[in-house]
Amino acid sequence: MNDVVLTGDRPTGPLHLGHYFGSLANRVELQGRLPLYVLVADYQVITDRDVPGEIRRHTTGLVLDQLATGIDPARATIFQHSAIPELNQLLLPFLSLVSVAELGRNPTVKDEIAHSSQRAVSGLMFTYPVHQAADILFCKGTLVPVGKDQLPHLEVARLVARRFNERYGPVFPLPEAMMGAQPLLKGLDGGKMSKSRGNAIALSATEDETAALIRKARTDSERLITFDEERRPEVANLLTLGGLCLGRTPRELAEEIGDGGAATLKRVVTEAVNEFLRPIRKRRAELSEADARRVLAEGNERARERAARTLEEVRSAMGF
Ligand code: TRP
C-alpha cells in the first residue's frame, strides 16, 4: 500500500507547544519516509468567524513555524486551500454524497456551534467537514495525523470516499486517523491549550514572554511536587510540559524538584522550554517572509497538479 500523509491547520495564529508535541514532531518524523502534504486551511478560517482577518500574516507565520520545526519543503508539499481551485471543486460532487441529517450530527461541528460567538450559523459550518474530505482525498491521502476532535471529520472523509467508490467505481482509498502517542497538553490555566485563550506558549514567543506565561500558570501551595493528575492537574500539566522538553517522564521530574515548591517547578519548566525551543526559534529568526512565500508558491503548484489529476479522474468516473 502506498501511504500518503496529509495534515493541516487553520491559519488563525501562531503554532504553540501543544501543536508541536501533538502533531508537528510527528510530521517531521514522517516526511522522510512518506509523501507528506501540509495544508494551510485558509478557507476553513471563515467557518467560525465572519471575516478571515489577518489571513496573510497568519498564513506566512504558519509556514515559517513549520519550516522552523524542521518541515523540509523539498520533501513536504506545503499549500493552501485558496490557491487550489481543483481541490475546492471536489466539494460539489462530495456534497451530493452526504445527507443533511448526517451533516447535522457531527459532534465537533455541534461543539463549535455551541462555543461560537457568531450570531448565525453559516452553511459553511455544516459543510466544512465535507470540504475537509476534499483536503484529504484530493491527494488520495491515507494517513491523517490529527487530534481527537478531528475524528468525526475523518469519519466524513471515509464516508465520502466509500460512497463515491460505490456509486462511481474505485477512485479513493479510505483514509485513516493517526493519533499522536503524546499525552494531551493543557493550557497554562488548566483549560484546552488554544491560540485564542492566551494560555499557550507559541513556538515563536521570546524567552521572556515564555517566562512570563509560565510565571502566571496556575499551581497550588503544596511544597512537595508530585505528579498527580487527579488531585493536582495544573502541577501535573507543568511536569508533563517540562518532561516533554527534557525527554524525561513527569514523575522523574517531580522527584528531582522534590520539596522545591511551585517556584522551583516554574523555574525548571521555563528553562526546559526555552532550551528546547532555542534551535527552533533560531531557525525561525533566520527565515524571511519571502522564504515562506516561495515555499508556498512551489507547494501550491505541486498540489494543484495533484488536484487536477484527481478532479479529472472524478469527472471521468462520474461520466461527465
Ligand atoms: N480542521 C483542522 C483544524 O481545525 C484543520 C484541517 C483542515 C485539517 N483540513 C484538514 C486537518 C485536513 C487534517 C486534515 O485544526
Side-chain angles (χ1 to χ4, degrees), residues 258-270:
D259 61 3
T264 311
L265 171 65
K266 288 183 177 180
R267 182 176 52 72
V268 169
V269 173
T270 300

Side-chain angles (χ1 to χ4, degrees), residues 222-259:
E222 281 178 57
R223 294 239 22 116
L224 184 67
I225 296 301
T226 53
F227 182 67
D228 185 342
E229 284 177 290
E230 279 290 304
R231 214 171 48 80
R232 308 175 75 185
E234 291 94 359
V235 168
N237 193 46
L238 281 175
L239 287 166
T240 301
L241 174 59
L244 285 168
C245 290
L246 292 164
R248 309 246 278 285
T249 70
R251 254 172 247 288
E252 282 168 358
L253 196 58
E255 267 164 42
E256 207 166 297
I257 295 166
D259 61 3

Side-chain angles (χ1 to χ4, degrees), residues 6-11 19 27 37 39-42 44 47 81 108 112 128 131-136 143-147 149-150 153-154 195:
L6 176 121
T7 185
D9 309 275
R10 297 180 184 184
H19 295 119
R27 296 177 194 182
Y37 288 87
L39 166 64
V40 179
D42 54 5
Q44 211 178 88
T47 51
H81 276 148
T108 297
E112 282 171 333
Y128 88 80
H131 191 234
Q132 188 157 326
D135 297 344
I136 298 168
L143 297 175
V144 187
V146 281
D149 62 318
Q150 298 293 306
H153 298 347
L154 231 102
K195 295 170 205 157

Side-chain angles (χ1 to χ4, degrees), residues 17-18 21 182-187 191-193 237 240-242 244:
L17 280 170
F21 290 114
Q182 303 293 354
L184 188 71
L185 266 184
K186 292 204 208 62
K192 182 186 175 210
M193 191 182 270
N237 193 46
T240 301
L241 174 59
L244 285 168

Side-chain angles (χ1 to χ4, degrees), residues 40-58:
V40 179
D42 54 5
Y43 277 167
Q44 211 178 88
V45 168
I46 44 170
T47 51
D48 67 350
R49 59 199 78 193
D50 294 335
V51 292
E54 292 183 78
I55 192 75
R56 278 172 168 271
R57 191 168 66 81
H58 289 321

